[in-house]
């Protein structure tokens, strides 16, 4: 037997328990038999693990799934109040604080405009999170940039005034800190929450915000690359115009971010809205009747398509999901994105589908932080 395979039974049991728990978390109402079919664990093992977690009140039974064979199966659910934790979507201009529950759901508890400096930003944040008693001492933060391998440092966030090497953990006294790239979290949220995408193995998730982030899922797993920085798709150099915050000229995101779009419009006239994404939403809403909005968004769309085609040609995914503020795009515009992508990609990739994210721009990253948080807490508590 290979030495790698000889790990303790306790570890194996923990891994199986987490598999069972996560299956219930992402398919609430599932029965023991269905878990056994899904995980390949034999029914007696599933029953044993379920009973242990029921005793700890991690999960509970409610209702039955009727069966023609007379043996009705009890439905299982994760106990959402078993643990609570703080999660944060740290945005370029606007940030959201949420409380994450054990079932992976999340509630927004606070919002603030993102300060310009890391010191000020984390001072505001630590002050806000100190108000919540009884939370698990782990804080998961989604960030618009790259994270180092320890997930404690923000390595580089070009759109956040080019923050570099920020040791985030030092700002938080009682919390363990875990940082993750926002687009990776959004991809995780779509993968876990949207049953429609569930059986797809190769997915490119595009987070359209002030910049453009990517979450790349290969064979059902989030691809991080050797240096933990995979998915920086906004920094493909595609044009000879558009200075980018990363220091280069011509990056994809410098030519097609929502802020770029809003600025183009506002050179001529103002747009209503308090935040960048409210203004972009307005722009999308007036697309049909406002010629300037149409002109600006059509240019945005053309550039978006160029990047999508590159990604499809490189990665050959089954599906490209356009999320974040991309969900505001009018249907007619989205139809153009779909048809033009199919027209322009390599002939082998014609089957690719391009779809809008199923989660709203405000909840998608926060959902991801919550799913990650609940899974990490489970590892520490099972």
């Amino acid at each position: 037997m290979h030495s790698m395979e000889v790990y303790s039974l306790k570890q194996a049991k923990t891994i199986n328990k987490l598999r069972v728990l996560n299956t219930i978390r992402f398919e609430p109402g599932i029965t023991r038999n269905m878990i056994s079919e899904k995980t390949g664990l034999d029914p007696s093992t599933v029953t044993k693990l379920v009973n242990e977690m029921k005793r700890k009140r991690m999960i509970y039974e409610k209702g039955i799934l009727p069966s023609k064979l007379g043996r009705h199966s009890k439905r299982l659910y994760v106990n959402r109040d078993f643990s609570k934790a703080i999660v944060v979507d740290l945005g370029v201009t606007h940030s959201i604080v949420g409380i994450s529950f054990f079932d992976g759901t999340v509630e927004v508890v606070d919002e603030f405009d993102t300060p310009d400096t890391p010191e000020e930003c984390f001072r505001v944040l630590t002050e806000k999170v100190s108000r919540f008693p009884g939370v698990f001492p782990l804080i998961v933060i989604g960030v618009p940039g790259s994270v180092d391998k320890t997930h404690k440092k923000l390595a580089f966030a070009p759109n956040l005034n080019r923050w570099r090497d920020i040791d985030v953990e030092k700002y938080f006294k009682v919390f363990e800190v875990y940082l993750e790239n926002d687009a990776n979290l959004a991809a995780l949220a779509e993968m876990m929450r949207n049953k429609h995408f569930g059986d797809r193995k190769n997915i490119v998730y595009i987070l359209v915000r002030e910049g453009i982030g990517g979450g790349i899922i290969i064979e059902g797993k989030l691809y991080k690359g050797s240096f933990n920085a995979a998915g920086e798709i906004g920094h493909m150099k595609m044009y000879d115009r558009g200075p980018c915050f990363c220091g280069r000229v011509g990056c994809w995101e410098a030519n097609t971010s929502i802020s770029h779009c809003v600025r183009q419009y506002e050179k001529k006239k103002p747009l209503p809205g308090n935040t960048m994404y409210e203004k972009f939403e307005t722009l999308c809403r007036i697309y049909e009747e406002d010629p300037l909005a149409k002109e600006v968004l059509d240019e945005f769309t053309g550039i978006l398509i160029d990047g999508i085609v590159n990604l499809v040609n490189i990665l050959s995914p089954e599906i490209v999901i356009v999320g974040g503020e991309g969900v505001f795009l009018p249907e007619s515009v989205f139809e153009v994105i779909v048809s033009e992508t199919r027209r322009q990609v390599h002939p082998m990739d014609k089957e690719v589908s391009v779809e809008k994210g199923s989660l709203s721009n405000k909840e998608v990253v926060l959902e991801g932080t919550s799913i990650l948080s609940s899974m990490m807490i489970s590892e520490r508590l099972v």
Side-chain angles (χ1 to χ4, degrees):
M1 206 173 168
H2 196 270
S3 66
M4 288 292 287
E5 289 165 28
V6 190
Y7 55 88
S8 72
L9 286 171
K10 184 169 186 283
Q11 263 178 304
K13 185 177 168 186
T14 302
I15 289 167
N16 287 339
K17 214 189 242 182
L18 285 168
R19 281 174 69 198
V20 171
L21 181 58
N22 280 325
T23 305
I24 301 168
R25 180 175 281 130
F26 298 117
E27 301 193 26
I30 196 168
T31 66
R32 289 170 176 74
N33 282 344
M34 287 153 79
I35 293 171
S36 169
E37 279 166 26
K38 257 197 132 48
T39 57
L41 295 168
D42 66 78
S44 62
T45 306
V46 171
T47 294
K48 206 167 88 197
L49 297 174
V50 162
N51 290 344
E52 278 179 35
M53 288 190 285
K54 264 177 63 187
R55 272 202 302 280
K56 284 188 174 177
R57 300 229 162 100
M58 287 182 164
I59 59 176
Y60 63 91
E61 288 172 340
K62 184 182 165 202
I64 53 170
L65 189 69
S67 150
K68 291 190 180 69
L69 304 170
R71 282 204 56 187
H72 299 319
S73 316
K74 290 177 174 158
R75 293 174 172 277
L76 296 164
Y77 297 88
V78 168
N79 173 9
R80 111 189 246 276
D81 297 317
F82 184 77
S83 80
K84 286 205 269 268
I86 293 164
V87 290
V88 183
D89 172 6
L90 184 66
V92 172
T93 54
H94 190 75
S95 295
I96 307 174
V97 182
I99 293 283
S100 159
F101 297 94
F102 195 59
D103 60 356
T105 57
V106 65
E107 266 169 30
V108 173
V109 287
D110 211 339
E111 304 190 32
F112 60 98
D113 290 332
T114 311
D116 289 340
T117 65
E119 293 73 33
E120 180 61 12
C121 177
F122 293 110
R123 188 192 64 71
V124 171
L125 195 51
T126 44
E127 187 242 319
K128 287 187 182 300
V129 305
S130 63
R131 294 203 282 261
F132 301 106
V135 290
F136 194 86
L138 165 76
I139 182 165
V140 175
I141 307 176
V143 294
S146 327
V147 167
D148 81 332
K149 279 193 162 148
T150 67
H151 289 269
K152 312 282 181 213
K153 272 189 176 158
L154 180 51
F156 184 41
N159 297 346
L160 279 172
N161 295 318
R162 309 191 63 172
W163 294 3
R164 262 185 207 280
D165 289 322
I166 314 296
D167 179 7
V168 177
E169 198 165 41
K170 73 169 190 219
Y171 293 101
F172 294 90
K173 301 283 175 286
V174 290
F175 292 97
E176 178 193 343
V177 167
Y178 192 90
L179 306 173
E180 182 54 277
N181 169 267
D182 55 4
N184 285 348
L185 289 164
L188 177 70
E190 283 290 356
M191 192 163 79
M192 294 308 199
R193 285 277 177 253
N194 188 338
K195 288 294 156 265
H196 174 60
F197 302 137
D199 51 350
R200 316 288 180 98
K201 289 276 179 279
N202 298 311
I203 301 173
V204 174
Y205 178 90
I206 300 173
L207 184 67
V208 178
R209 279 189 160 179
E210 282 91 350
I212 289 193
I216 297 170
I217 292 162
I218 294 177
E219 297 304 321
K221 291 204 164 47
L222 194 59
Y223 177 70
K224 297 287 194 78
S226 297
F227 307 108
N228 209 41
E232 286 295 336
I233 60 179
H235 299 289
M236 295 189 271
K237 184 177 170 74
M238 289 172 55
Y239 305 100
D240 53 10
R241 60 172 195 268
C244 184
F245 291 116
C246 78
R248 300 205 308 161
V249 169
C251 288
W252 188 25
E253 73 171 36
N255 287 278
T256 191
S257 66
I258 67 165
S259 18
H260 174 77
C261 224
V262 167
R263 279 196 300 271
Q264 295 295 96
Y265 187 95
E266 290 199 319
K267 279 179 189 168
K268 309 261 170 70
K269 49 187 174 179
L271 273 167
N274 299 318
T275 59
M276 208 41 102
Y277 64 79
E278 283 174 10
K279 289 183 173 199
F280 184 74
E281 186 177 11
T282 306
L283 191 66
C284 291
R285 212 177 37 244
I286 59 178
Y287 175 79
E288 304 294 348
E289 60 265 16
D290 182 321
L292 180 58
K294 187 173 186 326
E295 184 190 328
V296 167
L297 265 182
D298 284 348
E299 189 197 13
F300 169 90
T301 308
I303 296 167
L304 197 60
I305 291 163
D306 284 348
I308 293 173
V309 170
N310 284 352
L311 291 165
V312 172
N313 286 345
I314 294 166
L315 294 163
S316 191
E318 277 171 276
I319 182 169
V320 175
I321 302 169
V322 180
E325 271 77 87
V327 298
F328 295 140
L329 291 168
E331 285 314 311
S332 58
V333 168
F334 215 83
E335 281 161 20
V336 172
I337 294 175
V338 174
S339 60
E340 276 302 300
T341 299
R342 286 198 165 152
R343 191 180 68 79
Q344 295 183 35
V345 292
H346 183 279
M348 294 290 283
D349 294 314
K350 293 278 184 229
E351 298 290 298
V352 68
S353 58
V354 184
E355 299 183 24
K356 261 188 204 183
S358 66
L359 297 161
S360 84
N361 69 313
K362 261 187 91 161
E363 68 188 350
V364 65
V365 174
L366 210 61
E367 279 271 349
T369 56
S370 182
I371 288 168
L372 185 59
S373 164
S374 63
M375 288 164 81
M376 287 176 73
I377 290 169
S378 302
E379 281 173 23
R380 291 158 173 72
L381 297 180
V382 303

